[in-house]
Amino acid sequence: MDLQLNGHRVIVTAGANGIGRAIVDAFLAEGARVATCDIDETGLDALPDEVFRRRVDVGDAPALIGFIDAAAAGLGGLDCLVNNAGIAGVTAKIEDIDLVDWNRCLNICLTSQFTSCARAVSHLRQSANASIINMSSVAGRLGFRLRTPYAAAKWGVIGLTKSLAIELGPDNIRVNAILPGLVSGERQRRVLEAKAQSQGRSRAEVEAEAFSFASIREYVTPEQIADQIVFLASPRGRTISGQAISVCGDLKMLA
Ligand code: NAD
């Protein structure tokens, strides 16, 4: 299927590793022009030469705004913004969560998306096929035991997405959210190992329990997430807006 993304101008936040890197690679494979920011300089250095990159912490609003403008100038305009950056945040009972940790998680996972959307719209309004894709999580829909700041932020991403889809539809800017489930990779390994350790169980046990709540009992790969995103960004996805799309093997609960 030709996704007609040749020359598409795309910003992906946190594109140096993990899902973000897979999204960068998927857009490049379609002939798109890509800009990314990240805090991992080694990961940024490892990106293909043609990628516009800058070291930016998305929690630093002025730096993020400067990056959006610089990237749009470097790309010669902007057709798509992918707000991928997010952190897992603290794992703790509600009474043990520090306000600093709460605010940090909300800032990186949600407020940064508000900041970049608000700055990107003036650039996106010039595009004939504009879209925003915000990274949420099934945790936003299902809740996540002991991960309250993360789940709250990711639920907020869905509200941000749906509201912006209504507001920006008349400007021909589509806005969708992707909700990954259990994604293979380093982050999932860290989460499962921390959980296994805290509960005195084996990692295999914790993993089997996690999959017992899914209809399709396998990890989603970063590349499968990226496939959904390039499709949504393409003209083939032009009637899809305001959706919160789960890519999670029908996961019904996060244990
Ligand atoms: P990850 O932890 O592997 O990190 C990806 C990148 O984010 C890294 O390159 C890191 O340097 C960068 N980064 C971290 N904090 C940053 C900041 N403040 N500013 C700029 N860059 C920063 O993450 P991932 O697993 O690839 O997840 C990507 C997105 O998908 C996140 O929004 C995450 O919440 C969401 N998600 C992931 C999973 C999963 O299982 N991996 C599941 C659901 C949702």
Side-chain angles (χ1 to χ4, degrees):
M1 184 189 285
D2 178 8
L3 292 176
Q4 300 162 46
L5 286 171
N6 198 26
H8 211 60
R9 299 156 300 181
V10 184
I11 290 176
V12 180
T13 64
N17 299 286
I19 298 171
R21 176 63 200 259
I23 299 166
V24 168
D25 289 342
F27 274 113
L28 290 177
E30 295 297 327
R33 301 172 61 199
V34 182
T36 193
C37 65
D38 204 290
I39 50 173
D40 175 9
E41 286 183 26
T42 311
L44 286 174
D45 287 345
L47 288 164
D49 289 345
E50 66 261 41
V51 177
F52 177 101
R53 87 262 340 241
R54 187 175 275 189
R55 191 204 175 283
V56 171
D57 182 334
V58 298
D60 177 348
L64 180 56
I65 287 168
F67 165 71
I68 297 286
D69 287 345
L75 295 171
L78 186 64
D79 300 300
C80 179
L81 168 67
V82 182
N83 281 314
N84 166 66
I87 55 168
V90 290
T91 306
K93 291 181 180 173
I94 187 74
E95 65 267 34
D96 296 330
I97 298 172
D98 199 277
L99 189 57
V100 172
D101 289 334
W102 171 271
N103 284 336
R104 179 172 149 69
C105 190
L106 271 284
N107 188 31
I108 304 291
C109 289
L110 178 59
T111 307
S112 72
Q113 295 198 7
F114 152 74
T115 302
S116 53
C117 287
R119 195 61 176 196
V121 285
S122 62
H123 302 294
L124 291 169
R125 283 195 182 102
Q126 317 301 318
S127 164
N129 175 28
S131 68
I132 296 172
I133 298 151
N134 294 324
M135 196 63 82
S136 177
S137 164
V138 289
R141 204 171 246 162
L142 302 175
F144 202 172
R145 198 172 70 89
L146 303 183
R147 282 272 164 85
T148 308
Y150 181 75
K154 294 299 189 180
W155 178 248
V157 169
I158 297 172
L160 175 77
T161 300
K162 289 191 171 285
S163 301
L164 289 185
I166 298 164
E167 180 181 335
L168 302 177
D171 293 333
N172 287 317
I173 302 172
R174 297 178 293 109
V175 190
N176 290 290
I178 289 284
L179 283 59
L182 303 171
V183 180
S184 56
E186 181 54 24
R187 175 197 280 241
Q188 204 56 244
R189 193 191 59 73
R190 284 197 308 264
V191 168
L192 286 177
E193 264 168 23
K195 190 167 177 193
Q197 206 170 17
S198 73
Q199 297 180 352
R201 299 196 291 163
S202 73
R203 191 185 138 180
E205 240 181 320
V206 170
E207 199 167 47
E209 183 188 57
F211 279 125
S212 71
F213 300 112
S215 301
I216 297 170
R217 297 182 178 187
E218 60 188 57
Y219 283 110
V220 180
T221 66
E223 291 72 23
Q224 287 165 333
I225 304 287
D227 284 347
Q228 305 301 319
I229 288 174
V230 291
F231 177 79
L232 284 174
S234 80
R236 305 248 180 197
R238 67 177 303 117
T239 55
I240 306 171
S241 193
Q243 301 307 301
I245 301 166
S246 295
V247 186
C248 66
D250 191 28
L251 193 64
K252 293 181 180 67
M253 191 173 122
L254 280 162

Short mmCIF file of all heavy atoms in Angstrom, two decimals, residues 124-166:
data_model
loop_
_atom_site.label_atom_id
_atom_site.label_comp_id
_atom_site.label_asym_id
_atom_site.label_seq_id
_atom_site.Cartn_x
_atom_site.Cartn_y
_atom_site.Cartn_z
N LEU A 124 0.97 23.61 11.33
CA LEU A 124 0.13 22.56 10.73
C LEU A 124 -0.99 23.15 9.87
O LEU A 124 -1.43 22.52 8.91
CB LEU A 124 -0.47 21.67 11.83
CG LEU A 124 0.55 20.77 12.56
CD1 LEU A 124 -0.10 20.14 13.80
CD2 LEU A 124 1.09 19.68 11.64
N ARG A 125 -1.46 24.35 10.22
CA ARG A 125 -2.54 24.96 9.44
C ARG A 125 -2.14 25.22 7.98
O ARG A 125 -2.97 25.35 7.12
CB ARG A 125 -3.00 26.28 10.09
CG ARG A 125 -3.86 26.05 11.31
CD ARG A 125 -4.60 27.33 11.73
NE ARG A 125 -5.38 27.05 12.93
CZ ARG A 125 -5.03 27.40 14.16
NH1 ARG A 125 -3.92 28.07 14.36
NH2 ARG A 125 -5.79 27.08 15.18
N GLN A 126 -0.83 25.27 7.73
CA GLN A 126 -0.35 25.51 6.35
C GLN A 126 -0.31 24.21 5.54
O GLN A 126 -0.05 24.24 4.34
CB GLN A 126 1.09 26.08 6.36
CG GLN A 126 1.38 27.16 7.39
CD GLN A 126 0.50 28.37 7.24
OE1 GLN A 126 0.27 28.80 6.11
NE2 GLN A 126 -0.02 28.89 8.33
N SER A 127 -0.54 23.07 6.18
CA SER A 127 -0.38 21.77 5.51
C SER A 127 -1.69 21.30 4.87
O SER A 127 -2.78 21.54 5.39
CB SER A 127 0.07 20.73 6.55
OG SER A 127 -0.12 19.42 6.07
N ALA A 128 -1.55 20.57 3.76
CA ALA A 128 -2.74 20.01 3.08
C ALA A 128 -3.19 18.70 3.73
O ALA A 128 -4.30 18.22 3.50
CB ALA A 128 -2.42 19.77 1.61
N ASN A 129 -2.32 18.07 4.52
CA ASN A 129 -2.66 16.80 5.18
C ASN A 129 -2.05 16.79 6.58
O ASN A 129 -1.04 16.16 6.83
CB ASN A 129 -2.13 15.61 4.36
CG ASN A 129 -2.37 14.29 5.07
OD1 ASN A 129 -3.31 14.13 5.85
ND2 ASN A 129 -1.49 13.33 4.85
N ALA A 130 -2.69 17.53 7.48
CA ALA A 130 -2.09 17.73 8.80
C ALA A 130 -2.68 16.78 9.84
O ALA A 130 -3.89 16.51 9.84
CB ALA A 130 -2.33 19.17 9.25
N SER A 131 -1.81 16.29 10.70
CA SER A 131 -2.33 15.48 11.81
C SER A 131 -1.42 15.55 13.02
O SER A 131 -0.22 15.84 12.91
CB SER A 131 -2.52 14.02 11.38
OG SER A 131 -1.28 13.42 11.15
N ILE A 132 -2.04 15.29 14.16
CA ILE A 132 -1.32 15.17 15.43
C ILE A 132 -1.62 13.79 15.97
O ILE A 132 -2.78 13.35 15.93
CB ILE A 132 -1.80 16.24 16.45
CG1 ILE A 132 -1.49 17.66 15.94
CG2 ILE A 132 -1.18 16.00 17.82
CD1 ILE A 132 -2.10 18.78 16.80
N ILE A 133 -0.59 13.11 16.44
CA ILE A 133 -0.80 11.80 17.05
C ILE A 133 -0.15 11.81 18.44
O ILE A 133 1.05 12.06 18.56
CB ILE A 133 -0.21 10.68 16.17
CG1 ILE A 133 -0.94 10.68 14.81
CG2 ILE A 133 -0.38 9.31 16.85
CD1 ILE A 133 -0.13 10.19 13.67
N ASN A 134 -0.98 11.64 19.44
CA ASN A 134 -0.52 11.73 20.83
C ASN A 134 -0.37 10.34 21.44
O ASN A 134 -1.30 9.52 21.34
CB ASN A 134 -1.52 12.54 21.66
CG ASN A 134 -1.58 13.99 21.23
OD1 ASN A 134 -0.57 14.58 20.84
ND2 ASN A 134 -2.77 14.58 21.29
N MET A 135 0.75 10.10 22.09
CA MET A 135 0.95 8.79 22.71
C MET A 135 0.28 8.76 24.08
O MET A 135 0.66 9.48 25.00
CB MET A 135 2.45 8.51 22.85
CG MET A 135 2.74 7.05 23.11
SD MET A 135 2.22 5.97 21.77
CE MET A 135 3.62 6.15 20.65
N SER A 136 -0.74 7.92 24.16
CA SER A 136 -1.37 7.65 25.45
C SER A 136 -0.91 6.26 25.89
O SER A 136 0.23 5.86 25.63
CB SER A 136 -2.89 7.75 25.30
OG SER A 136 -3.54 7.43 26.50
N SER A 137 -1.79 5.51 26.52
CA SER A 137 -1.46 4.15 26.97
C SER A 137 -2.77 3.49 27.37
O SER A 137 -3.71 4.18 27.78
CB SER A 137 -0.54 4.21 28.19
OG SER A 137 -0.50 2.95 28.85
N VAL A 138 -2.82 2.17 27.29
CA VAL A 138 -4.01 1.49 27.82
C VAL A 138 -4.18 1.80 29.30
O VAL A 138 -5.29 1.74 29.83
CB VAL A 138 -3.98 -0.04 27.59
CG1 VAL A 138 -4.18 -0.39 26.13
CG2 VAL A 138 -2.74 -0.67 28.15
N ALA A 139 -3.08 2.17 29.96
CA ALA A 139 -3.17 2.55 31.38
C ALA A 139 -4.12 3.73 31.58
O ALA A 139 -4.76 3.85 32.62
CB ALA A 139 -1.79 2.89 31.93
N GLY A 140 -4.21 4.60 30.57
CA GLY A 140 -5.11 5.75 30.65
C GLY A 140 -6.56 5.32 30.68
O GLY A 140 -7.40 5.96 31.30
N ARG A 141 -6.87 4.25 29.98
CA ARG A 141 -8.25 3.78 29.90
C ARG A 141 -8.57 2.81 31.03
O ARG A 141 -9.67 2.82 31.58
CB ARG A 141 -8.43 3.09 28.56
CG ARG A 141 -9.83 3.04 28.07
CD ARG A 141 -9.87 2.52 26.65
NE ARG A 141 -10.30 3.52 25.70
CZ ARG A 141 -10.09 3.44 24.40
NH1 ARG A 141 -9.42 2.44 23.89
NH2 ARG A 141 -10.55 4.36 23.61
N LEU A 142 -7.61 1.95 31.37
CA LEU A 142 -7.89 0.86 32.32
C LEU A 142 -7.53 1.21 33.76
O LEU A 142 -7.98 0.55 34.68
CB LEU A 142 -7.08 -0.39 31.93
CG LEU A 142 -7.32 -0.96 30.53
CD1 LEU A 142 -6.36 -2.12 30.25
CD2 LEU A 142 -8.76 -1.43 30.39
N GLY A 143 -6.67 2.23 33.93
CA GLY A 143 -6.09 2.46 35.25
C GLY A 143 -4.89 1.55 35.42
O GLY A 143 -4.75 0.54 34.71
N PHE A 144 -4.03 1.88 36.39
CA PHE A 144 -2.80 1.11 36.57
C PHE A 144 -2.48 1.15 38.07
O PHE A 144 -2.13 2.21 38.60
CB PHE A 144 -1.68 1.74 35.74
CG PHE A 144 -0.55 0.82 35.40
CD1 PHE A 144 0.43 1.25 34.51
CD2 PHE A 144 -0.43 -0.45 35.93
CE1 PHE A 144 1.49 0.43 34.16
CE2 PHE A 144 0.62 -1.28 35.60
CZ PHE A 144 1.58 -0.83 34.70
N ARG A 145 -2.61 0.02 38.71
CA ARG A 145 -2.38 -0.06 40.16
C ARG A 145 -0.98 0.45 40.53
O ARG A 145 0.01 0.04 39.92
CB ARG A 145 -2.52 -1.53 40.61
CG ARG A 145 -2.74 -1.72 42.10
CD ARG A 145 -3.05 -3.17 42.40
NE ARG A 145 -1.89 -4.01 42.20
CZ ARG A 145 -0.99 -4.27 43.14
NH1 ARG A 145 -1.14 -3.79 44.35
NH2 ARG A 145 0.05 -5.02 42.88
N LEU A 146 -0.93 1.36 41.47
CA LEU A 146 0.31 1.97 41.99
C LEU A 146 1.04 2.86 40.97
O LEU A 146 2.14 3.31 41.21
CB LEU A 146 1.28 0.89 42.53
CG LEU A 146 0.74 -0.02 43.62
CD1 LEU A 146 1.83 -0.98 44.11
CD2 LEU A 146 0.20 0.77 44.81
N ARG A 147 0.42 3.09 39.84
CA ARG A 147 1.00 3.99 38.83
C ARG A 147 0.01 5.12 38.53
O ARG A 147 -0.25 5.46 37.38
CB ARG A 147 1.28 3.21 37.54
CG ARG A 147 2.51 2.37 37.55
CD ARG A 147 3.72 3.23 37.10
NE ARG A 147 4.97 2.61 37.43
CZ ARG A 147 5.58 1.71 36.68
NH1 ARG A 147 5.04 1.34 35.56
NH2 ARG A 147 6.72 1.19 37.07
N THR A 148 -0.54 5.69 39.60
CA THR A 148 -1.62 6.68 39.46
C THR A 148 -1.22 7.91 38.63
O THR A 148 -2.00 8.32 37.75
CB THR A 148 -2.10 7.10 40.86
OG1 THR A 148 -2.40 5.90 41.58
CG2 THR A 148 -3.35 7.95 40.78
N PRO A 149 -0.04 8.50 38.85
CA PRO A 149 0.29 9.69 38.04
C PRO A 149 0.34 9.36 36.55
O PRO A 149 -0.18 10.12 35.72
CB PRO A 149 1.68 10.11 38.56
CG PRO A 149 1.80 9.47 39.89
CD PRO A 149 1.00 8.22 39.87
N TYR A 150 0.91 8.22 36.21
CA TYR A 150 1.03 7.81 34.80
C TYR A 150 -0.35 7.60 34.19
O TYR A 150 -0.65 8.12 33.10
CB TYR A 150 1.87 6.54 34.72
CG TYR A 150 2.10 6.02 33.31
CD1 TYR A 150 3.00 6.67 32.46
CD2 TYR A 150 1.45 4.89 32.85
CE1 TYR A 150 3.22 6.19 31.17
CE2 TYR A 150 1.66 4.41 31.57
CZ TYR A 150 2.55 5.07 30.74
OH TYR A 150 2.77 4.59 29.46
N ALA A 151 -1.20 6.84 34.89
CA ALA A 151 -2.54 6.55 34.35
C ALA A 151 -3.35 7.84 34.21
O ALA A 151 -4.06 8.04 33.22
CB ALA A 151 -3.26 5.56 35.26
N ALA A 152 -3.23 8.74 35.20
CA ALA A 152 -3.97 10.01 35.14
C ALA A 152 -3.48 10.85 33.96
O ALA A 152 -4.28 11.45 33.23
CB ALA A 152 -3.80 10.77 36.45
N ALA A 153 -2.17 10.89 33.76
CA ALA A 153 -1.63 11.68 32.65
C ALA A 153 -2.09 11.11 31.31
O ALA A 153 -2.46 11.85 30.40
CB ALA A 153 -0.10 11.69 32.73
N LYS A 154 -2.07 9.79 31.19
CA LYS A 154 -2.42 9.16 29.91
C LYS A 154 -3.93 9.28 29.63
O LYS A 154 -4.34 9.31 28.48
CB LYS A 154 -1.96 7.70 29.89
CG LYS A 154 -0.43 7.54 29.92
CD LYS A 154 0.23 8.18 28.70
CE LYS A 154 1.71 7.83 28.59
NZ LYS A 154 2.34 8.44 27.41
N TRP A 155 -4.74 9.31 30.69
CA TRP A 155 -6.18 9.60 30.53
C TRP A 155 -6.35 11.04 30.06
O TRP A 155 -7.15 11.35 29.19
CB TRP A 155 -6.90 9.34 31.85
CG TRP A 155 -8.39 9.64 31.86
CD1 TRP A 155 -9.01 10.64 32.54
CD2 TRP A 155 -9.42 8.92 31.18
NE1 TRP A 155 -10.37 10.59 32.32
CE2 TRP A 155 -10.64 9.55 31.48
CE3 TRP A 155 -9.42 7.81 30.34
CZ2 TRP A 155 -11.87 9.11 30.98
CZ3 TRP A 155 -10.64 7.38 29.83
CH2 TRP A 155 -11.84 8.02 30.16
N GLY A 156 -5.52 11.93 30.63
CA GLY A 156 -5.54 13.34 30.20
C GLY A 156 -5.19 13.48 28.73
O GLY A 156 -5.76 14.33 28.03
N VAL A 157 -4.28 12.65 28.24
CA VAL A 157 -3.91 12.70 26.82
C VAL A 157 -5.12 12.40 25.94
O VAL A 157 -5.30 13.01 24.88
CB VAL A 157 -2.76 11.70 26.53
CG1 VAL A 157 -2.54 11.54 25.03
CG2 VAL A 157 -1.47 12.15 27.21
N ILE A 158 -5.98 11.49 26.40
CA ILE A 158 -7.18 11.17 25.60
C ILE A 158 -8.11 12.39 25.56
O ILE A 158 -8.64 12.75 24.51
CB ILE A 158 -7.89 9.92 26.17
CG1 ILE A 158 -6.97 8.69 26.08
CG2 ILE A 158 -9.20 9.66 25.42
CD1 ILE A 158 -7.49 7.44 26.78
N GLY A 159 -8.28 13.06 26.69
CA GLY A 159 -9.12 14.27 26.73
C GLY A 159 -8.55 15.37 25.86
O GLY A 159 -9.29 16.06 25.14
N LEU A 160 -7.24 15.55 25.92
CA LEU A 160 -6.56 16.55 25.08
C LEU A 160 -6.82 16.23 23.61
O LEU A 160 -7.18 17.12 22.81
CB LEU A 160 -5.05 16.50 25.36
CG LEU A 160 -4.14 17.38 24.50
CD1 LEU A 160 -4.21 18.84 24.94
CD2 LEU A 160 -2.69 16.90 24.57
N THR A 161 -6.67 14.97 23.26
CA THR A 161 -6.82 14.53 21.87
C THR A 161 -8.24 14.77 21.37
O THR A 161 -8.45 15.32 20.28
CB THR A 161 -6.48 13.02 21.79
OG1 THR A 161 -5.13 12.85 22.22
CG2 THR A 161 -6.66 12.48 20.38
N LYS A 162 -9.21 14.34 22.15
CA LYS A 162 -10.61 14.46 21.69
C LYS A 162 -11.03 15.92 21.57
O LYS A 162 -11.71 16.31 20.62
CB LYS A 162 -11.54 13.68 22.62
CG LYS A 162 -11.36 12.16 22.45
CD LYS A 162 -12.42 11.36 23.14
CE LYS A 162 -12.35 9.89 22.76
NZ LYS A 162 -12.85 9.60 21.41
N SER A 163 -10.59 16.74 22.51
CA SER A 163 -10.94 18.17 22.46
C SER A 163 -10.29 18.85 21.28
O SER A 163 -10.93 19.65 20.57
CB SER A 163 -10.51 18.87 23.76
OG SER A 163 -11.14 18.24 24.85
N LEU A 164 -9.02 18.54 21.03
CA LEU A 164 -8.32 19.18 19.90
C LEU A 164 -8.87 18.70 18.56
O LEU A 164 -8.90 19.46 17.59
CB LEU A 164 -6.81 18.92 19.97
CG LEU A 164 -6.06 19.65 21.07
CD1 LEU A 164 -4.56 19.39 20.96
CD2 LEU A 164 -6.33 21.15 21.02
N ALA A 165 -9.33 17.45 18.51
CA ALA A 165 -9.91 16.95 17.25
C ALA A 165 -11.14 17.79 16.89
O ALA A 165 -11.33 18.16 15.72
CB ALA A 165 -10.29 15.48 17.39
N ILE A 166 -11.95 18.12 17.90
CA ILE A 166 -13.14 18.94 17.65
C ILE A 166 -12.73 20.36 17.25
O ILE A 166 -13.21 20.92 16.27
CB ILE A 166 -14.04 18.98 18.91
CG1 ILE A 166 -14.53 17.57 19.27
CG2 ILE A 166 -15.22 19.92 18.70
CD1 ILE A 166 -15.10 17.45 20.68
#
